[in-house]
Amino acid sequence: YADRQFRHQHRVFLFQVLVVGCWARLLYWERSGAIVTKAFNLLDHPDILVKFLWKFAHATEKQQGRDSSVTLATREEQRTFVDATHKFAENGTMNVPSAAATELARKSRKPAYPVCRIKVNVDNAALHRSPNSKPRCYLEFLICSPLYSACATPGRGTRCYLAYDLCEGTFRFLKDTWWVSRPNHL
């Protein structure tokens, strides 16, 4: 279940409750693995689960593990994305195989994933733009179904998208990957 949630939702971490009979455990998942509590008896200590669920219900989406850089697209953005994918599939491009463009258009007609807006911070915006565009400190994309998604929760969690750049009005290949955070690590 954790694998599927990480694959279908944009998350930084995930909480789960595991109940087997009258025993329960709380789990905290992230890309490095899971932290699991000791098993506790629900009949003897129902307060543990009640406190957790109360705190979780009152937490913000970010505190619940949602990635705050990803939001659902507005209706107008959804229409923009679908129209752009159809034009993209019809016109093609030298940089993207026609099969990938056709697959993107097919997925956009009946998306298994919602259309989302992703905001990507850029350390050096000049390196990530066209010569004729203005410098930006972040890039914004519309995405839908990934072309590739990693199968396991632990690890980099790589997902690859053909993403529509809202500023440039073109499609880009966007690779979403979690990196190890270490000093002096490139």
Side-chain angles (χ1 to χ4, degrees):
Y1 292 115
D3 289 342
R4 291 200 183 265
Q5 276 189 276
F6 270 107
R7 229 181 299 160
H8 288 271
Q9 298 175 1
H10 296 274
R11 296 193 148 275
V12 178
F13 57 87
L14 168 72
F15 290 106
Q16 281 185 325
V17 178
L18 175 66
V19 178
V20 179
C22 62
W23 294 92
R25 291 178 186 262
L26 304 177
L27 293 88
Y28 169 87
W29 287 93
E30 61 181 27
R31 290 292 175 192
S32 61
I35 298 172
V36 182
T37 65
K38 292 181 180 181
F40 59 94
N41 189 307
L42 287 170
L43 301 176
D44 297 337
H45 302 286
D47 56 310
I48 295 172
L49 185 58
V50 170
K51 283 180 189 176
F52 170 78
L53 292 175
W54 188 90
K55 287 181 180 184
F56 185 82
H58 290 85
T60 64
E61 285 191 350
K62 188 173 182 176
Q63 292 169 329
Q64 291 178 357
R66 298 249 183 209
D67 185 344
S68 60
S69 66
V70 181
T71 57
L72 287 175
T74 64
R75 285 192 187 271
E76 183 179 319
E77 289 171 336
Q78 290 174 9
R79 273 187 252 121
T80 298
F81 182 78
V82 171
D83 292 345
T85 57
H86 295 300
K87 288 178 188 171
F88 181 74
E90 290 170 8
N91 300 336
T93 177
M94 292 178 7
N95 298 333
V96 177
S98 61
T102 303
E103 180 67 8
L104 175 67
R106 184 188 67 75
K107 286 181 174 184
S108 73
R109 285 187 194 101
K110 284 182 125 179
Y113 294 73
V115 176
C116 293
R117 180 185 192 124
I118 294 183
K119 194 175 207 176
V120 180
N121 289 328
V122 180
D123 292 333
N124 188 345
L127 297 175
H128 301 283
R129 64 182 175 91
S130 308
N132 299 331
S133 65
K134 296 178 183 176
R136 300 180 277 169
C137 60
Y138 59 87
L139 305 174
E140 291 181 297
F141 299 96
L142 295 177
I143 59 155
C144 194
S145 301
L147 296 175
Y148 169 81
S149 184
C151 297
T153 299
R156 293 185 186 175
T158 302
R159 283 185 285 201
C160 301
Y161 301 93
L162 275 177
Y164 184 73
D165 186 326
L166 284 167
C167 185
E168 301 285 328
T170 59
F171 278 90
R172 310 243 180 219
F173 186 76
L174 181 65
K175 184 177 179 182
D176 177 19
T177 302
W178 288 86
W179 290 94
V180 176
S181 178
R182 293 189 316 214
N184 303 320
H185 181 71
L186 299 175

